[in-house]
Amino acid sequence: MKIAVLPGDGIGTEIVAEAIRVLDALDLSFEMESALVGGAAYEAHGHPLPESTLKLAKEADAVLFGAVGDWKYDKLDRPLRPEQAILGLRKNLGLFANFRPAICYEQLVGASSLKPELISGLDILIIRELTGDIYFGQPRGRRTAVDGHFPGAEEAFDTMRYSRPEVERIARVAFEAARKRNKRVTSVDKANVLETFQFWKDVVTEVHKDYPDIELDHMYVDNAAMQLVKAPKKFDVIVTGNMFGDILSDEAAMLTGSIGMLPSASLNSSNQGLYEPSHGSAPDIAGKGVANPLATILSAAMMLRFSLNQAEAADRIESAVKHVLASGLRTGDIWSEGTKRVGTREMGDAVVAAITKKTITG
Ligand code: IPM
Ligand code: MG
């Protein structure tokens, strides 16, 4: 089992370090190799996704990814910005299916900005298509570029597009996932305005014929954004395109009050996957040892389950995380009155201790 470890920027290095300690505590034999990605790779090699990093990722069974990005790179030409690294990995590895669960941990109900009754027991799964849509549409650019810079240009454009095979395969992923859950899929589109999403809706409807046991409904993205805060528990699996999925998954994550808790998986058709927390690089708190490592630790659990065929080890990590929450330890982002505030390292320590069944101190 070969894991490529790409910590990236900001809090990426701190949180990935804790996930690795947790993986080590499982006593399985992994081959892990690290490489630079994002701004860190740009600094060292002049490119956010160097050839060597891409090669390592391609050859691995799974990629454990931290986060990329920092405001200080905002002035770089787009192809050199840290975010291009994650987009390049998705495209080059064909990671088209992005799983973003939004689960409300019972102990953290109070961390949500919604009323507890709206989110208690919440367990929804957003499946975002990841390698098409306006993110990768051609043509894209500006009508009148001025020395490669935006000011002075008269117009800019990005093209939204989806092909039939792209929509079909993500629809199948969603129906299969729903089969293992509550058998309901909501396909989110903007078919009332956009041709791309009328097409999306039609193709999803066709694929649905192969899944008569699954209930399918269609919802416009603006309504979906509203329903997510009005009655989020009505959803089971949401399937949508790259752009809408980007936005709705952040919204869904925050319903749980703690984006610091949510893992994600991006899979290709051979179950090779990239696993990363749903949150970003948080440069404002980087290096302070206060970031919540649990989303990354839970991403490592998803990696064990989906790409490395180690479901039992994944269960052990997930139970350890629940145990640590029940014991009252909290990083700043999920802290509330009556719980004990800990840093990144202490949180990692506690998960490791729970896995190795040593007494948790603190
Ligand atoms: C995400 C992020 C990325 C995206 C960025 C960093 C390119 O927001 O994974 O949701 O837009 O997909
Ligand atoms: Mg996003």
Side-chain angles (χ1 to χ4, degrees), residues 89-150:
L89 282 165
R90 288 171 184 168
K91 200 64 178 174
N92 280 287
L93 274 67
L95 306 168
F96 72 91
N98 185 211
F99 287 71
R100 297 196 170 180
I103 293 170
C104 183
Y105 286 82
E106 226 34 60
Q107 293 97 347
L108 302 181
V109 170
S112 174
S113 46
L114 295 196
K115 295 191 196 98
E117 62 268 28
L118 286 183
I119 52 129
S120 167
L122 181 77
D123 178 355
I124 61 183
L125 175 61
I126 298 201
I127 297 185
R128 168 187 176 195
E129 199 290 329
L130 212 50
T131 54
D133 203 348
I134 198 163
Y135 269 62
F136 293 98
Q138 294 292 338
R140 62 194 307 159
R142 323 177 172 120
R143 292 266 183 237
T144 46
V146 177
D147 298 335
H149 289 278
F150 194 79

Side-chain angles (χ1 to χ4, degrees), residues 135-319:
Y135 269 62
F136 293 98
Q138 294 292 338
R140 62 194 307 159
R142 323 177 172 120
R143 292 266 183 237
T144 46
V146 177
D147 298 335
H149 289 278
F150 194 79
E154 292 301 323
E155 195 183 2
F157 49 92
D158 300 271
T159 311
M160 181 175 269
R161 72 167 281 290
Y162 264 119
S163 69
R164 174 174 291 273
E166 283 173 331
V167 181
E168 278 177 359
R169 65 182 181 176
I170 196 70
R172 288 194 192 282
V173 166
F175 291 127
E176 299 284 346
R179 227 170 224 172
K180 298 188 194 127
R181 299 171 46 97
N182 293 323
K183 300 196 165 46
R184 281 186 294 114
V185 170
T186 303
S187 171
V188 171
D189 62 58
K190 189 71 187 175
N192 50 345
V193 177
L194 301 171
E195 297 293 37
T196 312
F197 275 92
Q198 180 62 55
F199 173 73
W200 169 284
K201 185 174 179 178
D202 293 347
V203 175
V204 171
T205 304
E206 281 171 41
V207 174
H208 180 230
K209 290 185 187 132
D210 293 342
Y211 299 87
D213 53 320
I214 309 295
E215 192 186 310
L216 169 68
D217 68 333
H218 303 273
M219 199 179 276
Y220 296 141
V221 62
D222 48 350
N223 186 24
M226 184 172 77
Q227 297 303 329
L228 270 173
V229 289
K230 189 176 169 216
K233 284 192 266 188
K234 284 197 182 145
F235 293 104
D236 178 20
V237 173
I238 292 177
V239 65
T240 190
N242 206 346
M243 180 88 243
F244 299 155
D246 179 45
I247 299 164
L248 293 183
S249 62
D250 264 30
E251 187 189 0
M254 207 54 218
L255 293 177
T256 69
S258 43
I259 198 165
M261 293 296 302
L262 298 175
S264 79
S266 305
L267 297 174
N268 66 18
S269 42
S270 33
N271 279 340
Q272 190 189 20
L274 181 147
Y275 299 83
E276 59 174 326
S278 283
H279 59 73
S281 57
D284 51 328
I285 57 162
K288 296 188 177 152
V290 298
N292 186 349
L294 293 178
T296 315
I297 290 171
L298 291 166
S299 300
M302 279 183 115
M303 172 176 82
L304 289 165
R305 182 170 292 120
F306 289 145
S307 288
L308 302 178
N309 219 354
Q310 298 283 338
E312 197 243 349
D315 289 344
R316 282 172 69 199
I317 294 181
E318 286 161 1
S319 320

